[in-house]
Amino acid sequence: MALTKKQPRSKFYELLQAQIHNEFNASQQYIALAVWFDAEDLPQLAKHFYKQSVEERNHAMALVQYMLDTDHHVEIPGTGDVRNDFSDVRELIELALQQEKDVATDIQQLAKAARAEEDYIGEQFTQWFLKEQVEEISQMSTLLNIVKRADGNLFEVENHLHRESVGDGGADSSMPPVAGGAL
């Protein structure tokens, strides 16, 4: 049986492949944050970041599904370095916020590449991710503000997360399909 020839790679598809790595790496980093919070007996913060990890994994798998759907070869990458050592909660949230800002920049580059290549379907695909990054940055910024206002009282942060369910909007029916199904 002959394998079908896959589409040649454009800059947009090279960036998509790189973004799969970025999303998996973000997922692993969020697991590291969640484990740190678990070790510090901060269950709401741990729960929040375990959920964030799954969300980032789902984003990676949505990119995988799009590449499969558009007949492009997909390589599942390893992840990069993950930071595990922190001295206080603020460091973890600042890292998470910066990670979300970096992902937003990456997604903007994807959208620009699709537009430059007149790949209108690819450009449309990136729109959901751009909207998602606005929400992610906003939620992480809010969490950082809560941590700052709590001034070391982590029970206030835990109570806030328990009460407000930050980032727990449930399944997004507008999310692109996820390879293997969303977790």
Side-chain angles (χ1 to χ4, degrees):
M1 175 185 343
L3 295 176
T4 59
K5 186 175 183 211
K6 297 289 183 182
Q7 294 287 333
R9 293 262 179 130
S10 64
K11 179 177 180 177
F12 175 67
Y13 282 94
E14 290 296 331
L15 290 172
L16 274 176
Q17 183 64 59
Q19 193 59 33
I20 291 169
H21 170 269
N22 296 344
E23 298 289 345
F24 279 131
N25 198 64
S27 177
Q28 289 297 100
Q29 184 61 68
Y30 281 148
I31 289 172
L33 299 184
V35 168
W36 190 93
F37 287 124
D38 250 350
E40 295 295 319
D41 296 321
L42 297 165
Q44 295 302 316
L45 282 158
K47 179 180 173 182
H48 176 73
F49 282 98
Y50 284 127
K51 284 182 181 178
Q52 287 295 119
S53 174
V54 170
E55 187 174 291
E56 299 304 331
R57 176 264 183 211
N58 286 340
H59 293 169
M61 296 306 286
L63 296 169
V64 166
Q65 187 64 56
Y66 180 78
M67 289 182 73
L68 291 170
D69 289 346
T70 56
D71 198 31
H72 284 81
H73 175 73
V74 180
E75 294 177 11
I76 301 302
T79 61
D81 292 335
V82 173
R83 183 173 170 196
N84 288 284
D85 297 317
F86 302 93
S87 59
D88 71 19
V89 171
R90 190 170 169 171
E91 273 185 90
L92 285 86
I93 309 304
E94 287 171 345
L95 181 140
L97 176 57
Q98 187 58 54
Q99 181 170 278
E100 293 298 344
K101 288 179 178 180
D102 292 345
V103 168
T105 298
D106 295 338
I107 299 296
Q108 289 170 1
Q109 293 304 312
L110 271 167
K112 285 180 186 179
R115 180 172 287 175
E117 294 169 6
E118 297 182 358
D119 181 346
Y120 303 113
I121 295 170
E123 183 179 358
Q124 184 275 331
F125 174 73
T126 64
Q127 298 308 302
W128 181 88
F129 290 92
L130 290 168
K131 177 184 78 66
E132 175 71 5
Q133 285 313 117
V134 169
E135 294 170 11
E136 293 294 327
I137 291 168
S138 174
Q139 291 170 359
M140 218 48 84
S141 294
T142 297
L143 185 54
L144 181 57
N145 285 335
I146 298 302
V147 167
K148 288 176 183 176
R149 288 181 188 133
D151 195 29
N153 185 346
L154 298 179
F155 293 112
E156 288 300 323
V157 178
E158 288 281 289
N159 286 333
H160 172 80
L161 282 173
H162 180 71
R163 186 178 62 249
E164 299 298 325
S165 300
V166 174
D168 192 22
D172 181 350
S173 63
S174 68
M175 183 179 178
V178 173
L183 298 181

